Amino acid sequence: MIFLDMKTVVFSHLMIDIVCTVFMVFLWYRNHRRFSGLSFWAVAYVFHTAGIELIFLRSSIPDLLSVVLGNTLLVAGVLILYMGLQRFVGKGGSHIHNYVLLAVFALTHAYFALARPDLTVRTINLSLGIIVFAFQCAWLMLARADSGLRTMTRGVGMVFAGYCLISLIRIITCLT
């Protein structure tokens, strides 16, 4: 059986992300006056694609950029997507606590990438970062959205719940 190396998998992921980002920017351009929050969605995709690109360039650029900034952009992208989803369903809120959590994530990732390198702790940290923000997205789509919107938001909420479940399984795998 032929297995792909991780560089090929990440490169394929990057190419798919570039296509998705172009598509999201096109959607934003065509519909940003009709739907609130689309600009956040487009920025979230840009962050995600930039993060994957930095991770792809890992052996070519400093770890601060590849490991720390790349992963921070991935988690920040989920936060920005959450902010866009809030606008889309008309549910605002303060994000000061989320900015603090993102800063804690970035500092923890930097420490375990540069000062005391530990891939297992970084994997757990990344999974926790995704859980924190994806759970907020799932809760928004499944419980906080107005009842009239829930039929439209249920699928999105289930996808974010799936992200939480996969991240939780990843944490458990790292710990066992």
Side-chain angles (χ1 to χ4, degrees), residues 141-167:
M141 297 287 102
L142 297 172
R144 286 187 55 214
D146 294 334
S147 59
L149 290 174
R150 283 202 200 129
T151 55
M152 181 174 47
T153 63
R154 185 175 298 120
V156 176
M158 296 303 290
V159 167
F160 281 107
Y163 274 115
C164 292
L165 180 62
I166 289 168
S167 294

Side-chain angles (χ1 to χ4, degrees), residues 42 63 72 79 83 115 170:
D63 285 347
T72 301
L79 172 58
M83 294 164 67
R170 198 169 175 204

Side-chain angles (χ1 to χ4, degrees), residues 49-82:
T49 302
I52 292 297
E53 184 170 358
L54 288 172
I55 290 168
F56 177 71
L57 295 172
R58 179 151 193 233
S59 58
S60 306
I61 61 175
D63 285 347
L64 178 64
L65 295 176
S66 177
V67 177
V68 179
L69 182 59
N71 285 289
T72 301
L73 285 172
L74 294 178
V75 174
V78 181
L79 172 58
I80 292 168
L81 186 56
Y82 172 59

